Amino acid sequence: MAAYRVVEWQHAPELVEVPVPAVGPGQVLVEVAGCGLCHSDLTMTAMPGEVGEALGWQVPFTLGHETAGTVVEVGAGVTATSVGATVALASPSSCGTCAHCRAGRDSACLHGDAGRGYGRDGGLARYVLAGSVRDLLPLRGLDPRHAGPLTDAGATTHHAVRRARSELGPGSVAVVIGVGGLGALAVQILRATTEARIVAVEVDPARRELAVALGADEALEGLARGQGADLAAPGFDGVDAVIDIVGTDRTIRAGLGALRRGGAFVLVGAGGGGFARPWMGGLPREATITSIQGSSIADAQAVIDLAAAGAVTVAVDEFPLAEVAVAYTALDTGTLTGRAVVIP
Ligand SMILES: [Zn+2]
Ligand SMILES: [Zn+2]
C-alpha cells in the first residue's frame, strides 16, 4: 500500500510502498477513510533526530494522527468491535494502566510520547493498525471521511473547554482568543456545553464573522480598550474564563488582563509566550492556569457525540493521497479554507 512517511530525520516525507500491517492478538486493522493533517506534522518533519529519539520515535514512520475509517480485520481476542464498524482512532497514545491513564488524563500518559503518526505508523496510508480496542472511538453515524479532525483538533478543544467549565455557569463570560480551526471549534463547544456568554477575539474580520455565525455572542478585534467592548475596564472584575488558542506573550498578557480573580486561563496555543508574576499585576489573584496538550479519550468521544448530534461541524478540504504534499504546502502557507483531510 502507499504510505506518506518520514523516512529520515529532517528530510521531506515521501510517498512510498509499504506492506499492509499484520494484525496481532488484541489488535485491529482499519481501512482509512480520511486522515486530517495537523500543523504539528510539519514540526515532526523538521525535527532533529536526537529530539525524536529522545521521545522514543523510530524512523521510518507514516504520518497522520487524525484518522477515521472502517474496521476490516480484528486480531485474536478482540470482542469489543467487529469488521465493518466505522471508527475514529484516538489521537494521543496512552497505555491505559499508568496513574495518569487511570485518572482519565490519557494525554499525560507516561508511555504516550510515541504514537500513531508521531514516531509510529499513522493514518496517511490505505490501512492503519490500532494496537488495542482502547483506541477505537465509535462514530455514531458520522462520515468517517471527515471525522478524523475531531480526534485531535476537536478533542483538544473539548479538553480546553472542559477544564474551564466549572467557571462557566449562568451569567458567565468566556473569551476565546484566536478563531482559526481550533478557535472555531472552541466557540461551538462552548455554545453546546456551557451557559457562558461567548466573546471571540480575532484580528481577521472574516474570522470574526465566522465566530458569530458559529455561536459567539460578540467578536472583538482585541481585548485592549478601544477595540470593542471594554472587557479590561476598571471596575469590571473580569471575565470568568479565557481560552487562548494562540499563546504568544501578547495574547497571554491580554487574556490575563481580562480575567477576573479566581478565573480560569486555559492555554492551548504553543506561540511561545510566557507568564510573569511581578508583585503587582501579572497574574490575577487565585486564577487557575491550565496547559493543554492533546486530550483524554473521553474528550474525543464527547466531541464525536456533539458532531453526531449536529452541534459541532468542521469544515474540511479534501485531497487524494497522491496530493498529500500539495495539501501540506497549503497548510503551511495558510491557503486552506477548512481542515485538510487526505482521502486514501
Ligand atoms: Zn495534531
Ligand atoms: Zn498511561
Side-chain angles (χ1 to χ4, degrees):
M1 64 177 184
Y4 193 62
R5 312 193 94 190
V6 174
V7 290
E8 205 178 323
W9 298 115
Q10 295 186 303
H11 279 69
E14 293 174 19
L15 200 54
V16 295
E17 285 292 318
V18 297
V20 174
V23 184
Q27 298 179 331
V28 175
L29 189 68
V30 172
E31 182 171 21
V32 178
C35 182
L37 306 189
C38 178
H39 260 287
S40 65
D41 299 336
L42 300 169
T43 315
M44 295 175 205
T45 302
M47 187 180 275
E50 56 271 24
V51 176
E53 279 153 21
L55 290 165
W57 295 13
Q58 292 158 352
V59 286
F61 69 88
T62 303
L63 286 165
H65 58 267
E66 295 193 345
T67 313
T70 305
V71 173
V72 290
E73 189 179 341
V74 300
V78 171
T79 55
T81 191
S82 54
V83 170
T86 54
V87 293
L89 298 177
S91 179
S93 170
S94 62
C95 71
T97 56
C98 75
H100 293 297
C101 286
R102 290 202 308 276
R105 292 188 298 269
D106 303 312
S107 60
C109 176
L110 295 171
H111 309 104
D113 287 347
R116 256 186 315 279
Y118 44 101
R120 306 278 185 271
D121 287 339
L124 285 174
R126 179 78 182 272
Y127 297 99
V128 66
L129 200 58
S132 105
V133 291
R134 172 181 171 79
D135 291 346
L136 302 184
L137 304 156
L139 280 183
R140 323 269 200 231
L142 276 180
D143 182 349
R145 290 176 308 152
H146 295 171
L150 292 169
T151 65
D152 181 31
T156 298
T157 311
H158 189 276
H159 183 194
V161 172
R162 173 170 60 83
R163 294 299 298 270
R165 196 175 292 143
S166 61
E167 306 300 331
L168 295 176
S172 62
V173 178
V175 168
V176 176
I177 302 179
V179 189
L182 268 65
L185 281 156
V187 167
Q188 295 177 78
I189 295 166
L190 282 164
R191 171 58 63 226
T193 66
T194 76
E195 296 178 85
R197 177 172 176 78
I198 303 164
V199 178
V201 177
E202 165 62 52
V203 290
D204 181 285
R207 289 177 169 188
R208 285 202 297 276
E209 259 178 55
L210 173 69
V212 171
L214 292 174
D217 295 287
E218 201 173 350
L220 310 179
E221 188 180 350
L223 284 171
R225 269 172 238 178
Q227 292 179 304
D230 194 355
L231 294 171
F236 175 56
D237 182 33
V239 303
D240 302 281
V242 172
I243 297 176
D244 184 356
I245 309 286
V246 183
T248 58
D249 278 335
R250 192 186 157 103
T251 60
I252 290 170
R253 208 178 316 120
L256 290 172
L259 193 65
R260 67 160 160 79
R261 295 181 178 190
F265 185 93
V266 185
L267 179 66
V268 180
F275 292 79
R277 193 177 189 203
W279 172 242
M280 289 293 286
L283 303 177
R285 294 186 189 189
E286 297 297 316
T288 304
I289 295 171
T290 305
S291 64
I292 298 291
Q293 176 73 50
S295 62
S296 69
I297 293 170
D299 286 306
Q301 190 65 62
V303 79
I304 285 169
D305 293 351
L306 287 172
V312 167
T313 57
V314 182
V316 302
D317 292 354
E318 288 188 9
F319 294 86
L321 187 55
E323 285 177 29
V324 59
V326 175
Y328 274 117
T329 301
L331 175 67
D332 198 20
T333 54
T335 54
L336 294 166
T337 55
R339 194 89 175 164
V341 168
V342 167
I343 312 286

